[in-house]
């Protein structure tokens, strides 16, 4: 992507003013995915001077700033296992040092590993103008964003884990699964290749095949929907066999 001008606001108010007053403006997170796009924008709004890179370990929740990198998440040492594991094979360390959690969420990428983890954890997104939006609602909706993601709130859970299947180490996932249990059990499936979705009406007596029956898997260049479904069933049955998901 080419920008005619790039600004580095020093407050969220200033950043939002730029966004609201310039029709062809684009927020820059890590800038890694934007860099690949072949289009022009009048204004790039770089959020790197807004102190949005942090991970706060609260009593019941984690608060993660939108500019926190995937490498910070990987090396935090205390975030839920499914989050940490979900980013371990996102490119190499160099890429994870640049890519931000805010850019990953706002891109709503259908191949995203971390968005599946965040969905399974029941994360909530805090936007500058719109306030709080549940991850589930955000991924499900098609509305124009035109807002700045400030932080992500991740509830603490008793247990979480994830699985993903890639053709090669740093490739996009063919399919991914993330689960968590705390107040309730949540199972999310992503890279189907559509955006991550939650398994609804979870029955602890169901097999992985029955649990995933309602999830739609599709064909793309990486594999067929039927192949994806089979891999997802195997990954979920592996998780169920560990016996840690149901209380
Ligand atoms: C080579 C390569 C391999 C990858 N492999 C994987 C992989 O295996 N698994 C995986 O899950 N992901 C993968 N990704 C995607 C990556 O993890 C990030 O999700 C992606 O690069 C976006 O993060 P970013 O910080 O670069 O965002 P940017 O490129 O800066 O922004 C992405 C979008 O989000 C918007 N945005 C950014 N921050 C905000 C904010 N705070 N508020 C509002 N809007 C915002 C931008 O305007 C833009 O539309 C890969 C990317 C690349 C380039």
């Amino acid at each position: 992507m080419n920008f005619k001008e790039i600004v580095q606001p020093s407050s969220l108010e200033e950043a939002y003013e730029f966004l609201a007053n310039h029709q062809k403006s684009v927020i820059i997170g890590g800038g890694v995915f934007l860099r690949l796009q072949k289009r022009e924008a009048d204004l790039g709004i770089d959020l790197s001077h807004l102190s949005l890179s942090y991970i706060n370990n609260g009593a019941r929740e984690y608060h993660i700033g939108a500019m926190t990198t995937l490498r910070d998440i990987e090396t935090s040492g205390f975030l839920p296992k499914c989050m940490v594991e979900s980013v371990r094979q996102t490119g190499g360390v160099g890429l994870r040092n640049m890519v931000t959690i805010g850019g990953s969420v706002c891109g709503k990428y259908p191949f995203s590993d971390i968005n599946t983890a965040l969905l399974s954890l029941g994360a909530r997104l805090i936007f500058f103008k719109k306030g709080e939006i549940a991850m589930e609602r955000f991924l499900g909706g098609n509305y124009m964003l035109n807002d700045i993601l400030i932080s992500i709130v991740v509830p603490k859970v008793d247990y979480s884990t994830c699985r993903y299947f890639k053709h090669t180490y740093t490739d996009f996932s063919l399919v991914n699964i993330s689960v968590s249990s705390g107040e309730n059990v949540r199972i999310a499936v992503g890279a189907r290749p559509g955006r991550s979705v939650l398994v609804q009406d979870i029955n602890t007596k169901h097999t992985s095949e029955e649990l995933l029956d309602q999830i739609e898997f599709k064909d793309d260049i990486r594999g067929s929907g039927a192949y994806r479904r089979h891999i997802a069933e195997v990954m979920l049955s592996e998780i169920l066999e560990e016996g840690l998901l149901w209380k």
Side-chain angles (χ1 to χ4, degrees), residues 23-216:
Q23 253 199 351
K24 275 189 147 188
S25 59
V26 174
I27 294 173
I28 306 173
V32 178
F33 218 78
L34 282 175
R35 198 171 183 279
L36 303 177
Q37 296 179 9
K38 288 198 174 79
R39 60 184 174 113
E40 284 236 331
D42 288 345
L43 191 67
I45 306 167
D46 178 358
L47 304 184
S48 58
H49 287 191
L50 299 180
S51 306
L52 293 179
S53 175
Y54 57 84
I55 305 175
N56 292 338
N57 189 355
R60 294 166 63 90
E61 299 167 327
Y62 304 101
H63 294 253
I64 305 173
M67 290 296 280
T68 304
T69 67
L70 297 196
R71 181 69 177 157
D72 292 333
I73 286 162
E74 184 185 2
T75 56
S76 65
F78 53 79
L79 284 172
K81 183 180 171 196
C82 71
M83 269 187 89
V84 174
E85 291 299 327
S86 76
V87 303
R88 275 205 205 285
Q89 289 186 26
T90 296
V93 172
L95 188 102
R96 298 199 290 277
N97 267 327
M98 294 186 285
V99 163
T100 63
I101 189 166
S104 301
V105 168
C106 292
K108 293 187 180 181
Y109 303 108
F111 52 78
S112 177
D113 296 309
I114 190 147
N115 286 353
T116 307
L118 289 171
L119 187 62
S120 77
L121 290 164
R124 301 177 330 261
L125 312 176
I126 311 296
F127 286 92
F128 182 68
K129 274 286 159 192
K130 294 194 182 80
E132 188 175 298
I133 301 178
M135 185 75 183
E136 189 176 353
R137 201 175 140 227
F138 178 71
L139 286 181
N142 277 326
Y143 49 81
M144 293 294 286
L145 192 57
N146 215 29
D147 203 343
I148 301 169
L149 177 65
I150 303 172
S151 65
I152 294 145
V153 182
V154 178
K156 292 193 172 179
V157 294
D158 299 331
Y159 164 79
S160 79
T161 193
C162 77
R163 297 281 191 285
Y164 40 82
F165 183 82
K166 297 174 184 246
H167 284 308
T168 58
Y169 186 80
T170 55
D171 195 7
F172 293 130
S173 292
L174 195 80
V175 64
N176 58 39
I177 287 205
S178 184
V179 304
S180 82
S181 65
E183 273 175 25
N184 45 42
V185 172
R186 294 168 68 97
I187 302 173
V189 189
R192 308 167 292 114
R195 286 181 202 153
S196 315
V197 289
L198 280 176
V199 172
Q200 306 291 337
D201 305 323
I202 292 175
N203 183 332
T204 56
K205 295 202 169 62
H206 278 172
T207 62
S208 63
E209 288 84 352
E210 287 164 333
L211 285 164
L212 295 175
D213 192 43
Q214 56 184 274
I215 303 293
E216 190 183 12

